[in-house]
Amino acid sequence: MVIVMGPEATGNDLASILALVEAAGVEAFVSRGVQRTIVGLVGDVTQLDQGNLRGMPGVRDVVRVSTPYKLVSRENHPERSTVHVGGVPIGPDTVTLIAGPCAVETPQQTLEAALMARKAGATLLRGGAFKPRTSPYAFQGLGEAGLRILAEVREETGLPVVTEVVDAHDVDLVASYADMLQVGTRNAQNFALLQAVGAAGRPVMLKRGMSATIEEWLMAAEYIAQRGNLDIVLCERGIRTFETATRNTLDVSAVPVAQRLSHLPVIVDPSHSGGHRDLVLPLTRAAIGAGADGVIIDVHAHPEQALVDGPQALVDGDLELLAGVMRDFPPLLGRTPAGTLTA
Ligand code: PEP
Ligand code: MN
């Protein structure tokens, strides 16, 4: 059982709850988040009356669950959630396009990519300033200088920014620039980082670990939620399989499965799944067809010069097709396209 306290809850409200719970012989774990305090109960909770607990001052919700992930599970939260990023919805009614460069390289490259993204109907800008690279010799990102570029490009284009944080020590810094924090596949089970982003007061996009089961992915999301942050978007980005023809294997079935098990929005990254430009549109269509709440796509004006992931970046000539997919496919599933082809 989990007790979710409201933002108005006082120290005395929490103390009364803890006294009641402990008197019933149940152990309580308190997580104090920025937005909410959450009390996880472990032990025999049969003596605790859920209705009484719900009526106590400061209590927002009481959740009784049998899945190992409680706060993100759909079991006790049947309505699917919508997460807002700088005012842009990601949820069951829309299909949101997040696009931009894999990595922030220069102000001009980032602005060009952002304008391409917006032209294709993107309402959020992606771009990594801190890059988690497999090789220590590869470009690691511009760090804070890259965050400043993203903030300038947001100013110029009006697109809120989604950017990755790779180290728990950088969470406050990245959160001071970003509208949404991204946790990448290589950090999907970095529990200290998950807890830190859970306390950062910003929405989080959590990529699926490249060899994580769906349950492990949802448990990772639970680490974030447990710190009081339920503004989490799950991102399927392809998993490791025996197949070598694609960078990863897009697990399309993970979209409806994760949506059945969790109330959180689920988006797809067709760029990092396929790893090749030619696969991005087919995988985008597949993602939307499977019910994804959005897609996140790499774009670059000069991919042959890109410092990271050039082969998978869409170029100017691809944008009209992408815009067409983003415009025409969502209505077939009763959803609103989140953006339209502009200039
Ligand atoms: C990215 O989106 O830039 C990225 C590194 O993705 P992933 O963590 O899915 O590899
Ligand atoms: Mn990349």
Side-chain angles (χ1 to χ4, degrees):
M1 194 181 284
V2 173
I3 301 171
V4 181
M5 307 298 288
E8 74 289 354
T10 64
N12 281 342
D13 294 342
L14 182 62
S16 313
I17 301 276
L18 295 179
L20 187 89
V21 164
E22 277 155 21
V26 172
E27 215 175 338
F29 293 88
V30 179
S31 282
R32 286 184 179 80
V34 177
Q35 296 165 33
R36 307 171 176 83
T37 291
I38 282 155
V39 187
L41 306 184
V42 176
D44 180 9
V45 294
T46 48
Q47 288 184 49
L48 290 169
D49 185 294
Q50 216 168 311
N52 287 350
L53 282 173
R54 196 170 270 125
M56 289 181 73
V59 173
R60 179 60 57 89
D61 202 5
V62 179
V63 184
R64 182 92 201 261
V65 278
S66 54
T67 47
Y69 41 87
K70 301 174 192 303
L71 299 164
V72 305
S73 98
R74 193 148 176 203
E75 209 166 82
N76 280 279
H77 193 298
E79 288 289 305
R80 298 200 50 229
S81 295
T82 298
V83 170
H84 289 89
V85 181
V88 174
I90 305 177
D93 301 329
T94 46
V95 178
T96 304
L97 173 61
I98 306 169
C102 179
V104 174
E105 299 168 14
T106 66
Q108 192 195 340
Q109 166 260 2
T110 308
L111 180 60
E112 279 174 342
L115 294 174
M116 289 170 68
R118 206 174 59 179
K119 192 168 157 189
T123 46
L124 295 169
L125 172 66
R126 66 148 290 146
F130 290 90
K131 296 303 300 175
R133 305 308 302 282
T134 302
S135 164
Y137 302 112
F139 175 61
Q140 304 285 313
L142 297 179
E144 188 169 3
L147 296 174
R148 279 198 294 269
I149 293 172
L150 286 167
E152 282 162 22
V153 172
R154 169 176 54 205
E155 193 67 30
E156 209 147 333
T157 60
L159 296 173
V161 164
V162 181
T163 195
E164 181 160 357
V165 55
V166 299
D167 187 317
H169 296 108
D170 294 328
V171 168
D172 289 342
L173 173 72
V174 179
S176 71
Y177 289 92
D179 298 283
M180 177 179 235
L181 301 173
Q182 174 175 336
V183 175
T185 195
R186 292 162 188 79
N187 269 313
Q189 285 188 310
N190 178 339
F191 301 119
L193 178 63
L194 295 171
Q195 288 173 328
V197 297
R202 285 267 182 267
V204 177
M205 182 180 77
L206 174 63
K207 295 254 185 137
R208 179 180 181 182
M210 62 181 87
S211 42
T213 63
I214 293 171
E215 183 169 286
E216 286 165 340
W217 187 21
L218 297 178
M219 300 275 261
E222 188 77 8
Y223 267 92
I224 300 169
Q226 213 218 6
R227 292 290 153 131
N229 186 357
L230 284 167
D231 290 330
I232 306 165
V233 172
L234 300 168
C235 179
E236 160 62 40
R237 47 79 69 203
I239 52 174
R240 275 270 166 91
T241 67
F242 51 80
E243 183 55 71
T244 54
T246 50
R247 182 175 180 178
N248 293 283
T249 298
L250 174 60
D251 182 5
V252 177
S253 43
V255 174
V257 172
Q259 288 173 340
R260 175 165 50 76
L261 296 173
S262 169
H263 59 88
L264 301 177
V266 181
I267 67 169
V268 165
D269 183 338
S271 306
H272 288 83
S273 301
H276 197 275
R277 181 170 308 122
D278 294 348
L279 295 172
V280 173
L281 283 173
L283 296 184
T284 299
R285 293 190 202 104
I288 298 174
D293 302 308
V295 284
I296 176 165
I297 290 178
D298 288 7
V299 297
H300 202 294
H302 307 286
E304 69 288 352
Q305 293 166 20
L307 297 178
V308 189
D309 287 349
Q312 71 193 28
L314 293 190
V315 296
D316 207 46
D318 301 319
L319 300 183
E320 208 154 324
L321 283 172
L322 174 61
V325 171
M326 297 311 298
R327 187 186 52 229
D328 298 340
F329 274 55
L332 299 175
L333 292 122
R335 286 165 177 256
T336 310
T340 46
L341 186 62
T342 52

